[in-house]
Amino acid sequence: MSSDQQGDQKPLMQPFSVLEPEGKKESAYNSSKYEGKCVDPRLMTFCITNFVINVGISQIAPFYPGLAADKAGLSYSQIGLVFSINPLGSILFSFVIGSFIQVWGRKKCLMIALVVQSSVQILFGCLNFMTDNKALFFSMSLISRFFQGMSRSVYSTVTFAYVPIFWPGEFQKKLAIMETMTALGLLFGPMIGSVLNYAFGYSIPFFVIAIFFLCAEVPTYTQLPPDSTMKSFEKKKKLPIGKAFTSIKVIVTIMNVMSITAGYTYFNPFFVNHMQSFGLSENVAAFILTIPAIFYIGMVNIIPKIGKYVKKTFMMSLALVVCFSGNMLEAPFWGEGNTLASVIIGLILVGVSQSFSMIPSIPQISEFLAPVVTDPQFKNNLTDMASALFIMSMGCGSLVGPLLGGSVYDGFGGNVNLSGSPPQELIDQEREAFRGAMICLGLWQLIAATLFFFFGDGYKGWSDCCRTCSTGQQLPQDEGQQLTKPLNDDTSDDVMSDNDTLSSEASVGNDNDLLQGPPKKTITIRKEAL
């Protein structure tokens, strides 16, 4: 029978379910009730909570270093360790998150993460009562930040895993919204924390956020589906992340992301102290510290348009050059011109460089993974691996940046108190220490830029860009070059897909199937047999 005739006939196969009664089908998760709504409560819950989590992480930058150094007597190396312990908690716990999700389920993990977030915020808000005991102050700072990083890792992993399940056809759009809220949280965190600290005292910013996390338990419980409607992960094979480190291109790309991330987190422990050398208060320093995030957000919608004309390797290579230039402007290595204007211009360049590196990183890592991950069963999961590596790279940059920055700053003699009206000798000493610390960061970024240029195909991106500029004609792009081409297209496996999971909890399988619960068994009766 021809295909046209089959279209006019009733199907010969009449399937029916024998294991799932009609009444039981209603227990399966159904997302259709959210269709057509102006605001999806699930997305709103994720976005607002993600915003507040990042506010809680970044709000300490303006006023905690002053409390720790001036009242508790911590060195800037120790303060840098407090900043770094948060991403360390995220990195270490990321290796076991999958096991916890398998045992407890996604929804329960989210709710536990919110309780932990609330608890550590309360603990951090009580640190001002511990300044007389340096050891207690330091240990409680480390413990609270470590568990804050662990719980943040859980929340980010699970929510990122939910995105392609709830919105399989709008993956990039929803993810962009959540990433924007992350950036806004990091942007407004220092400002919100500084204002609340100035108006109500040290503890209030943390107590307010702690109360929010407890309130967030309600929409998390009511809006997310029960874990019983989600398919088990136990039979899924783990992605071969270890194979990524057999590729020099993947390694230098990871170093690229680490260096760019460290370009922003490196000076967090001592930035306020440096601003005091210009006579600025903590509140003004908090506003200046948001400049990179402001320009990062401004570039988010521009970078994909630029990506249509240049290669991803060019953008990522250029990112290190711009970030290096910005950091050198913040503290000119030639020894003169260390002004507030140079700091602001440098921060602007750092923010721009973040967007040039972060946005194309995942599709570029996916492209480099294709030659080393050849198993057909992982064909459509390269983005999962790239996402996990990207999150790990950012975590390492956030870990190493402030830890190294605080130690180098101390080593150059920057541990001086500039509050009040300090003598000019102390101001000059601090500025020299800041310059020396930033030069060390610049050397790190130069090494990373050189390695990416020669071993990460950066030179190919630059040569193609120069050829385009000289000829005035856009070069034809290969399939894997486009930032927005779906990964599940048969012609390309190297770019982001609306249907691929961006999560450090990388696992094989189509997560869209999770909405359907366990697969139904059917019996087919042919008409001929009747």
Side-chain angles (χ1 to χ4, degrees), residues 176 180 295-307 355 359:
T180 300
F295 279 84
Y296 172 81
I297 293 174
M299 294 294 295
V300 163
N301 294 321
I302 299 177
I303 294 301
K305 298 178 181 178
I306 298 176
S355 61
I359 294 176

Side-chain angles (χ1 to χ4, degrees), residues 111-145:
M111 299 186 70
I112 293 174
L114 290 174
V115 172
V116 174
Q117 282 282 338
S118 180
S119 302
V120 298
Q121 290 291 336
I122 293 174
L123 177 59
F124 213 85
C126 295
L127 289 177
N128 61 324
F129 302 113
M130 309 176 192
T131 53
D132 293 337
N133 189 328
K134 178 180 177 180
L136 179 63
F137 181 93
F138 184 50
S139 60
M140 291 298 101
S141 297
L142 293 176
I143 291 173
S144 58
R145 289 283 290 181

